[in-house]
Amino acid sequence: MKKIIHIDMDAFFAAIEVRENPRLKGKCVIVGGPPNGRGVVSTCSYEARKFGVHSGMSSYHAWNLCPEAIFLHPHFNLYIKVSHQIREIFYKWTDLVEPLSLDEAYLDVTENKLGEEDAVKIAKLIKAEILEKTGLTCSAGVSYNKFLAKIGSDLNKPDGLTYIPPEKTNEVLFPLPIEKFSGIGKVTSAKLKKKGINNGADLYKYELKDLIKLLGKAGNFYYYVLRGIDKRAVITEFEPKTLSCETTFYEDNDNLDELLIILKQLAERLSKRLKEKGIRGSNLTLKIKYDNFELITRSCNTRSFIDEASELFAYGEQLLIANWDNSRKIRLLGLGISKLENTETEEQLLIPL
Ligand code: TTP
Ligand code: MG
């Protein structure tokens, strides 16, 4: 079983501003645009949240809710610096760190550099070191998969630490309001509530096929995470964003049939590499270099995540034909794929229980 920690800093931008100016401590602090224009709230202190202020609302609305609030412009360089500091602390434990934003990351500590078996202890030590080095608090979720670790970090904010072992999965997820499920936004939660689905227990009653009908592809994801299954790996920021293969010809070529055969071989090479790495992608790029060295790239989104040679070829073929220019010779052909995800995710999720 994996040991995953999700860390999320508390009121990140606002907490840094308060640290920089301690007179702001205990006050309603809003970081974002000014309330007299079209500004938006980036975030606010927990004191301001009591008035209903939250990220994303207009600063004008926030000011109406909380007239005493102090509005501050963001200082991004400072936030980036703190973000680097916390990542350094994460990397002391593991290289398997997946940053989701400046203030948030997953860590896979199943095997860690310090040989510590107790993931809760690791989370406590990380929290303590972040506080010591940055003067800021964060919240941590510790569990056996990413989904639950993220849910956990949000359960006892600020300065929280929540451990969700397998036997507590239902206890945590069943009463959880639907809008607290990561990935379920305002629109989806409104749609679900209309159907009488207000929490995890309500969602759990749905069969897989009905959930897919209701939520599309995401239905599959939620069906399994509700049952404690989330095989997504922690993907580091150093993983490639694109995978590609290309070939330069001995002789420039203007024969479409021959080029399609070469494209098929490229698709096979690319498919092999994708499968070796356990990833697939949803955006395909065809690269063409003409005999005068002019380079063009053409991309398309695929309808689903793909890694099969036949699928890669089918999209590549469409792009090649759509951009075919009878009057030009080609010296290089390349096929690349981006918008990658881990293969493990869906294949494993699709295995019916
Ligand atoms: P969050 O982690 O969502 O929020 P937070 O850290 O301020 O508060 P919480 O204690 O609930 O985690 O986002 C991190 C930072 O990203 C936040 O401090 C400001 C920025 N941000 C925006 O600029 N706009 C947004 O809409 C959101 C959600 C965040
Ligand atoms: Mg945060």
Side-chain angles (χ1 to χ4, degrees):
M1 199 174 329
K2 280 190 187 154
K3 294 173 191 169
I4 310 290
I5 301 177
H6 179 260
I7 302 270
D8 188 313
M9 301 298 290
D10 301 321
F12 190 49
F13 294 2
I16 294 175
E17 295 299 336
V18 173
R19 180 191 77 177
E20 295 299 297
N21 182 358
R23 276 181 304 174
L24 296 173
K25 207 173 165 105
K27 303 229 165 84
C28 294
V29 174
I30 295 178
V31 180
N36 56 359
R38 292 158 53 95
V40 172
V41 173
S42 288
T43 193
C44 62
S45 61
Y46 276 75
E47 287 81 359
R49 293 185 196 196
K50 288 185 195 139
F51 291 80
V53 180
H54 59 76
S55 297
M57 71 166 40
S58 79
S59 298
Y60 178 73
H61 186 196
W63 179 60
N64 277 321
L65 290 173
C66 183
E68 70 195 57
I70 299 155
F71 283 81
L72 301 169
H73 285 290
H75 296 94
F76 290 109
N77 286 339
L78 192 54
Y79 311 152
I80 290 167
K81 199 174 140 202
V82 177
S83 183
H84 286 316
Q85 276 180 300
I86 62 170
R87 280 182 203 172
E88 238 171 71
I89 296 169
F90 301 154
Y91 286 122
K92 284 187 186 173
W93 289 94
T94 174
D95 288 330
L96 289 178
V97 175
E98 179 178 341
L100 298 175
S101 66
L102 286 181
D103 86 323
E104 200 186 333
Y106 289 112
L107 285 70
D108 185 333
V109 295
T110 316
E111 280 167 29
N112 57 78
K113 294 178 186 174
L114 302 181
E116 174 57 61
E117 300 234 324
D118 183 349
V120 174
K121 192 170 163 195
I122 297 175
K124 275 185 194 159
L125 289 168
I126 289 175
K127 276 169 63 71
E129 191 171 355
I130 287 179
L131 184 62
E132 183 202 327
K133 298 264 164 65
T134 70
L136 302 167
T137 62
C138 67
S139 298
V142 182
S143 195
Y144 57 98
N145 67 39
K146 281 167 95 172
F147 182 77
L148 288 165
K150 189 165 163 82
I151 293 286
S153 74
D154 203 39
L155 281 182
N156 290 303
K157 261 185 170 291
D159 201 13
L161 197 171
T162 307
Y163 172 49
I164 309 177
E167 64 274 16
K168 288 254 172 79
T169 307
N170 292 352
E171 197 179 305
V172 170
L173 293 183
F174 280 14
L176 195 71
I178 210 71
E179 61 273 14
K180 291 268 182 188
F181 277 69
S182 356
I184 294 193
K186 262 191 199 158
V187 176
T188 310
S189 71
K191 183 170 138 187
L192 292 173
K193 280 181 182 171
K194 259 194 193 160
K195 295 218 166 261
I197 303 170
N198 294 302
N199 58 28
D202 295 336
L203 203 59
Y204 191 89
K205 287 180 202 140
Y206 276 71
E207 283 188 26
L208 177 60
K209 64 175 181 358
D210 297 325
L211 262 193
I212 291 174
K213 237 184 246 165
L214 200 59
L215 298 170
K217 227 177 137 188
N220 189 64
F221 176 72
Y222 289 109
Y223 180 86
Y224 285 103
V225 292
L226 268 163
R227 286 153 182 82
I229 301 171
D230 173 9
K231 300 282 185 189
R232 288 175 302 163
V234 169
I235 298 178
T236 73
E237 59 185 325
F238 308 110
E239 305 272 347
K241 300 266 185 287
T242 305
L243 218 60
S244 57
C245 298
E246 60 183 46
T247 186
T248 304
F249 315 136
Y250 289 114
E251 275 178 44
D252 299 338
N253 196 330
D254 60 358
N255 182 320
L256 183 57
D257 290 334
E258 285 176 23
L259 287 164
L260 285 173
I261 291 170
I262 293 163
L263 191 67
K264 202 170 240 170
Q265 291 162 355
L266 283 172
E268 276 157 14
R269 264 167 61 194
L270 188 58
S271 168
K272 189 161 171 268
R273 289 186 57 197
L274 282 167
K275 287 180 177 175
E276 276 165 8
K277 287 184 176 288
I279 46 183
R280 55 189 163 189
S282 61
N283 185 279
L284 196 91
T285 300
L286 178 74
K287 184 169 159 185
I288 301 173
K289 197 184 265 179
Y290 292 106
D291 53 355
N292 66 349
F293 286 86
E294 186 196 338
L295 182 75
I296 65 161
T297 56
R298 295 289 180 265
S299 301
C300 68
N301 286 322
T302 60
R303 288 213 308 207
S304 56
F305 284 90
I306 58 173
D307 62 358
E308 291 297 337
S310 57
E311 298 169 302
L312 296 165
F313 173 71
Y315 283 102
E317 182 185 29
Q318 278 181 31
L319 287 173
L320 182 60
I321 291 171
N323 292 286
W324 182 246
D325 182 346
N326 234 342
S327 64
R328 306 187 73 175
K329 284 192 171 181
I330 293 176
R331 65 174 271 119
L332 173 151
L333 211 53
L335 203 56
I337 187 143
S338 56
K339 295 191 187 166
L340 304 172
E341 70 152 25
N342 219 282
T343 311
E344 241 185 327
T345 322
E346 278 195 12
E347 262 179 17
Q348 302 230 359
L349 289 179
L350 282 167
I351 299 167
L353 287 178

